[in-house]
Amino acid sequence: MTAQALETRALVAGYERDLPIVRGVDLNVRAGEFVVLLGPNGAGKSTLVKAIAGLVPIHAGAVLINGEDSTFSPPHQKIRRGLAFVPQTENVFATLTIEENLRLAADILPNNVRARRIDELYAMFPDLAARPGRRAGQLSGGQRQMLAAARALIVAPSLLILDEPSAGLSPKIAAEVFARLQAINATGVTIVLVEQNVKAALAVASRAVILVEGEARHEGSAAELADDPIVAELYLGAAKAGA
Amino acid sequence: MSLQVVIDGLVAGAMIGLGAIGVTLTYSILRFANFAHGEFIAWGAYFALAVSGFLGVLAPSLATPIGPFSFGWSLPIAALGAIALTAALALLVDALLFGPLRAKGGAIIILVMASFGAALTLRNLLEFIFTSRPAYYAEGLQIALRFGGVRATPDALLCLGVAAIVVVAMRFLIAKTAIGRAMRATSENPQLAGLAGVDIRKIVRIVWILGAGLAAIAGIMVGLLVQIRPTMGLDLLLPLFAAAILGGIGSAPGALLGGLIVGLAESITVRLIGAEWRAAVAFVILVAILLLRPSGLFGRPE
Amino acid sequence: MIGALLSYGAFFMTTALIYAIVCLGLNVQWGQTGLFNVGVAGFVAIGAYVSALLTTPAAPGRFAGFDLPIAIGWLGGAVIAGLLSFLLGALTIRLRADYLAIATFGAAVVIHLCMLNLQSLTGGPFGIGFIPRPFASYAGEPLEFGFLNLALLAGVVLMLYLSLERLLRSPWGRVLRAIREDEAAALALGKNSIRFRLQAFAVGGAIMGLAGAAQAHFIGFIAPDNYQPTLTFQVWAMLIVGGSGNNRGAVLGAIVVWAVWAISGGAIAAIFPAGEQARAASLQIVLIGLALCAILLWRPRGILGEVKIVSRHLAGLSAQRAQPSFAVKDERLDGEKT
């Protein structure tokens, strides 16, 4: 099957029209792939995925989700086309309980499957099932990420995009997050991951795209890039320039 | 302190509270203090006046008072019409003014300013159409019921009852239903709400409909118990804001409680100091709450 | 005939210039600092009443009346109005932007109430009359009297304009704009940012008080009804039409809007029968209200717009932006930096 889960065509996006952060990115993600977006700070990775999700204005180009043109669709329509997006921060509703966070997301599902999906997610994340009445604002960092992932997964998306899910987590919990992502990918969900943690990301991803200055500069299988000096150089170079 | 003061305060407070729920809802979802909210109260009262007058002409029997109340069936029917019309008015103002300003992504305060302009426009439009002469839903005077030493008109008791039912219904809607969840989520983080599948534009419409509908109910109560004037909304605006901030922005029960506190304080002031200072009470409460606890009784500090 | 026209012209311009002073005050608060004042009428009223109380002769049954020189009255009006602005600002400036708006709205309501109820101080609903007028010795010669007053007001506006322009370009003015434009700058200044904004709010309030005092002495009598929300609204329309952030725009807007107001008032007087005049006057406010909304929608920078010192006032007012998911939330501070 050659179906495209996600495609961007010459995408130009950014908060201000005259100062785009993403400058003409072509991205092709096949169904079932696990793609990681790498690049130095300020390369536009985060802005790119936010634009795809509908959170950052798009000034030119196109976004296709599962083959459907979604360039100017509001986020709630993109969700109904199979996209799920987990932002890096503020990714749960702190004033809502765990249960309410999940039910909110499940509300777009048909009546008869809602309760079942919530139970399935609780089975997947037993930590959350333990105290469903707890406000999300009281959860630890790791628990929040779990809730954010559960909230995104509840609608059984075909395409899951995550913005640095490991940020701020301890290495042990981060490893757990990556393992879970791999497991989710194994069930057929396409994953696009923005990550700073290059080694860990390349270990789980099938392919990597490297963004520099708002453009997709390099692309290759995760295995190839893991040993490529260009990766190390990019990050080191950026660290020097950005300091 | 006589019980009479408390009853009067509760009745006034219920009307303020209903209006304040609308203010707090629009504030928490749309994120700006809507100075035009008072005008929805006034327009609601006048819509009901127009519709009930029309019904009274169409079917005079509808104007005969029901039981102990001062009004006939034409008013409750007209109330439904007024709620719908006021909601339509709010949606229209949003479509013409607030919506385009939001789409531009300008500063919040531009919306506040626009609401200020809309308020003057709406209020003076009322004055142009209906003149500034006070109007009433029913002509006759109503005999107050006595309970021990306390007097209250049947109309006032009915208003209290309606307010209580409306508040319980709102509380249920916000705490237990999918719409309420979506509203709370949008209030906390609209971007994430969109990602969770919430259609923000739909929530905005619902909030306008709820806020304007509650405003219409409050307006009809004021019209029934006091009088109908084009400036009735302007006079209520400060008590509404005081009640909404006192209760904590975003909290519907807080807004009602805030309304009751403002209403009680007003009635105590009228008794102790004099009716001419009534309008200052809300300001004093506002200053006190901003000094002591700006997040309100039920609000979360930002 | 020509004499009457000229003296009407002088009267018209003098009134417009008084509005221009209020506009300049509002411009310091809103245009330069981004603080929203919905109680303009209240601050103007404070200036008018304080000055009237200071300068009128003592009268039986009234508390005040100090018979002081007019200049002292003007100064006193400005100082008290500035002080009141300072207190309101101190209460709300560190809270959400619209709490200041609500508080100023409430203050105007209470000031109006005080004017009505504190009879022994304010004369109640009938207000204060026989306020000494500048150049009173020329009162018998309407033309000279009119032009002398106009010259005085023009002098005041010019002086205010020059000092505000100077202030705007001073380090103080630059800091204000930095705070308004850039949240990072505001944060870096921390507590000082609140102090700067508070100062600006007080200065703006004082200028409004000065305008109120000038008007009271020009007309010669004051009453609570002169200080309704409509006044606030007119001044806002003037500043928005002229271009907020621009002092010349503030003056120009005052003259243009006052002209439109006077002409439309004349038209209504001519068109509607005497019995319907009060009703038709509300139509005037409706039209101006629609105009204000239209300008906010289509030409938010007004006629003159803001002078080049500022890049994107209306689009980028500090951190508090409209509903993020309609217009996308600005995350440059916590997102990726380019």
Side-chain angles (χ1 to χ4, degrees):
Chain A
M1 200 167 90
T2 57
Q4 297 284 340
L6 173 68
E7 186 180 350
T8 69
R9 293 181 190 152
L11 193 68
V12 178
Y15 296 102
E16 278 167 75
R17 179 168 284 278
D18 30 347
L19 206 76
I21 299 170
V22 174
R23 292 174 239 180
V25 170
D26 292 291
L27 194 66
N28 283 289
V29 180
R30 288 184 305 280
E33 262 193 308
F34 191 143
V35 174
V36 58
L37 296 177
L38 300 173
N41 259 331
K45 310 178 296 281
S46 194
T47 308
L48 173 61
V49 287
K50 281 181 191 164
I52 291 169
L55 302 182
V56 168
I58 293 172
H59 305 304
V63 172
L64 284 82
I65 294 169
N66 290 321
E68 241 180 306
D69 184 1
S70 310
T71 314
F72 298 110
S73 310
H76 74 271
Q77 277 175 15
K78 296 186 175 181
I79 303 311
R80 285 164 173 79
R81 284 176 196 153
L83 168 82
F85 179 70
V86 182
Q88 182 184 347
T89 54
E90 293 180 26
N91 48 22
V92 296
F93 295 101
T95 55
L96 271 58
T97 63
I98 292 178
E99 175 91 7
E100 284 177 329
N101 265 281
L102 296 180
R103 287 182 69 174
L104 175 79
D107 277 331
I108 66 166
L109 297 172
N111 270 328
N112 50 350
V113 292
R114 262 180 230 158
R116 201 185 68 219
R117 268 311 278 172
I118 292 177
D119 287 342
E120 283 170 15
L121 265 299
Y122 275 146
M124 210 162 150
F125 299 94
D127 270 22
L128 299 178
R131 294 172 72 179
R134 226 166 156 208
R135 295 215 181 271
Q138 302 169 326
L139 300 177
S140 71
Q143 287 168 324
R144 274 178 190 236
Q145 294 295 357
M146 269 185 216
L147 180 58
R151 199 216 74 233
L153 289 170
I154 206 152
V155 291
S158 57
L159 169 64
L160 176 64
I161 304 182
L162 304 99
D163 192 359
E164 296 198 34
S166 72
L169 299 183
S170 71
K172 186 174 156 247
I173 297 180
E176 201 179 308
V177 168
F178 285 119
R180 274 186 183 276
L181 288 180
Q182 209 166 20
I184 291 164
N185 179 238
T187 65
V189 178
T190 314
I191 293 184
V192 175
L193 176 68
V194 171
E195 198 40 73
Q196 292 282 0
N197 191 341
V198 182
K199 258 192 185 157
L202 288 178
V204 289
S206 51
R207 196 157 64 88
V209 176
I210 297 174
L211 257 65
V212 181
E213 289 169 9
E215 292 165 16
R217 288 276 173 83
H218 307 275
E219 218 186 304
S221 77
E224 277 165 36
L225 282 172
D227 305 323
D228 197 324
I230 200 159
V231 174
E233 191 188 315
L234 265 171
Y235 280 86
L236 287 174
K240 265 181 221 154
Chain B
M1 196 60 49
S2 77
L3 201 56
Q4 187 66 47
V5 175
V6 176
I7 294 291
D8 293 347
L10 286 182
V11 172
M15 298 184 282
I16 297 170
L18 283 186
I21 294 176
V23 166
T24 212
L25 280 182
T26 41
Y27 203 147
S28 70
I29 302 279
L30 298 156
R31 317 218 156 180
F32 76 99
N34 180 14
F35 277 77
H37 197 83
E39 308 316 320
F40 294 146
I41 290 179
W43 275 81
Y46 275 100
F47 276 138
L49 181 71
V51 175
S52 73
F54 179 71
L55 288 174
V57 170
L58 217 60
S61 63
L62 283 178
T64 30
I66 320 164
F69 302 113
S70 70
F71 52 86
W73 279 108
S74 57
L75 188 61
I77 300 171
L80 296 178
I83 291 170
L85 287 168
T86 313
L89 177 70
L91 290 175
L92 182 72
V93 173
D94 189 61
L96 293 178
L97 186 61
F98 299 132
L101 286 174
R102 279 195 308 267
K104 284 185 174 183
I108 293 278
I109 209 74
I110 299 291
L111 288 171
V112 179
M113 195 194 286
S115 78
F116 186 63
L120 269 137
T121 307
L122 289 172
R123 177 159 73 248
N124 284 282
L125 210 52
L126 270 185
E127 196 165 331
F128 179 70
I129 300 170
F130 293 96
T131 75
S132 52
R133 255 194 313 277
Y136 302 88
Y137 290 121
E139 296 301 327
L141 271 177
Q142 207 183 11
I143 297 156
L145 303 175
R146 288 182 163 278
F147 309 94
V150 183
R151 277 171 298 117
T153 60
D155 285 2
L157 294 176
L158 178 73
C159 288
L160 270 184
V162 170
I165 292 169
V166 168
V167 169
V168 171
M170 283 300 297
R171 172 100 189 106
F172 175 79
L173 179 85
I174 293 173
K176 300 287 174 205
T177 66
I179 288 173
R181 261 197 303 279
M183 277 167 49
R184 281 182 289 143
T186 308
S187 157
E188 183 189 323
N189 186 343
Q191 280 201 342
L192 189 62
L195 292 174
V198 175
D199 182 352
I200 309 288
R201 283 170 307 179
K202 190 177 119 192
I203 295 298
V204 167
R205 283 196 297 272
I206 289 173
V207 164
W208 280 120
I209 290 169
L210 285 175
L214 291 172
I217 296 174
I220 295 167
M221 288 183 182
V222 176
L224 194 58
L225 302 182
V226 191
Q227 59 181 196
I228 311 168
R229 283 179 307 136
T231 53
M232 61 194 281
L234 175 69
D235 295 342
L236 269 175
L237 195 56
L238 193 56
L240 294 189
F241 281 138
I245 294 176
L246 180 59
I249 292 298
S251 164
L256 182 81
L257 186 67
L260 292 177
I261 293 174
V262 173
L264 278 171
E266 283 189 354
S267 102
I268 292 169
T269 305
V270 168
R271 174 63 62 91
L272 293 183
I273 303 176
E276 70 272 23
W277 290 104
R278 172 191 279 263
V281 173
F283 183 70
V284 173
I285 291 179
L286 182 71
V287 168
I289 194 73
L290 291 182
L291 273 176
L292 300 174
R293 193 177 153 86
S295 56
L297 297 177
F298 294 95
R300 268 169 228 88
E302 301 209 353
Chain C
M1 178 63 201
I2 291 183
L5 214 60
L6 277 178
S7 79
Y8 177 77
F11 173 82
F12 170 86
M13 272 311 285
T14 310
T15 312
L17 287 180
I18 290 169
Y19 278 114
I21 300 177
V22 190
C23 267
L24 285 171
L26 186 61
N27 195 30
V28 176
Q29 297 182 337
W30 167 250
Q32 316 297 351
T33 324
L35 297 170
F36 190 62
N37 183 345
V38 195
V40 174
F43 297 98
V44 174
I46 290 280
Y49 272 84
V50 168
S51 187
L53 288 174
L54 288 175
T55 56
T56 47
R62 236 185 52 220
F63 164 73
F66 295 97
D67 216 358
L68 291 167
I70 293 176
I72 303 276
W74 286 25
L75 199 66
V79 167
I80 301 293
L83 199 66
L84 185 75
S85 312
F86 178 84
L87 290 178
L88 273 178
L91 179 67
T92 50
I93 261 173
R94 84 203 81 215
L95 305 174
R96 312 167 67 131
D98 21 21
Y99 281 13
L100 178 68
I102 296 171
T104 51
F105 172 77
V109 169
V110 172
I111 290 168
H112 196 253
L113 215 56
C114 290
M115 288 188 280
L116 282 174
N117 294 338
L118 296 177
Q119 296 247 357
S120 62
L121 195 64
T122 63
F126 302 109
I128 301 175
F130 303 109
I131 300 168
R133 307 170 77 176
F135 314 110
S137 53
Y138 291 87
E141 311 274 344
L143 205 57
E144 272 114 332
F145 180 73
F147 275 93
L148 282 171
N149 270 293
L150 177 58
L152 175 65
L153 261 298
V156 171
V157 169
L158 189 69
M159 259 179 52
L160 257 181
Y161 171 79
L162 292 176
S163 16
L164 285 176
E165 283 291 303
R166 226 184 132 142
L167 207 55
L168 186 64
R169 283 166 175 78
S170 72
W172 186 78
R174 283 201 299 273
V175 170
L176 273 189
R177 272 192 311 284
I179 292 170
R180 195 194 66 187
E181 290 293 303
D182 182 354
E183 202 201 9
L187 284 177
L189 281 163
K191 268 207 179 117
N192 285 334
S193 121
I194 289 174
R195 210 183 69 211
F196 275 104
R197 295 199 295 168
L198 204 48
Q199 286 165 356
F201 197 66
V203 167
I207 295 174
M208 290 173 191
L210 177 68
Q215 191 186 33
H217 291 273
F218 176 60
I219 309 285
F221 63 89
I222 50 177
D225 274 1
N226 303 351
Y227 308 101
Q228 302 277 11
T230 310
L231 171 62
T232 301
F233 176 57
Q234 283 171 321
V235 174
W236 269 104
M238 288 166 178
L239 184 61
I240 301 295
V241 165
S244 53
N246 184 327
N247 284 324
R248 262 180 304 164
V251 176
L252 181 71
I255 295 169
V256 168
V257 171
W258 180 239
V260 171
W261 188 266
I263 292 168
S264 64
I268 281 172
I271 295 169
F272 287 87
E276 298 288 306
Q277 300 256 323
R279 188 176 184 181
S282 56
L283 207 55
Q284 210 183 346
I285 304 177
V286 170
L287 293 178
I288 300 269
L290 288 176
L292 176 70
C293 293
I295 291 172
L296 285 179
L297 277 171
W298 292 308
R299 203 178 158 73
R301 279 156 194 275
I303 302 176
L304 292 188
E306 193 164 350
V307 258
K308 45 103 199 156
I309 343 177
V310 178
S311 52
R312 47 188 167 81
H313 173 21
L314 293 174
L317 188 77
S318 78
Q320 292 176 310
R321 282 171 164 249
Q323 192 66 357
S325 57
F326 302 97
V328 168
K329 189 173 169 190
D330 192 335
E331 287 182 328
R332 274 163 302 184
L333 289 173
D334 52 3
E336 294 179 334
K337 292 160 192 77
T338 30

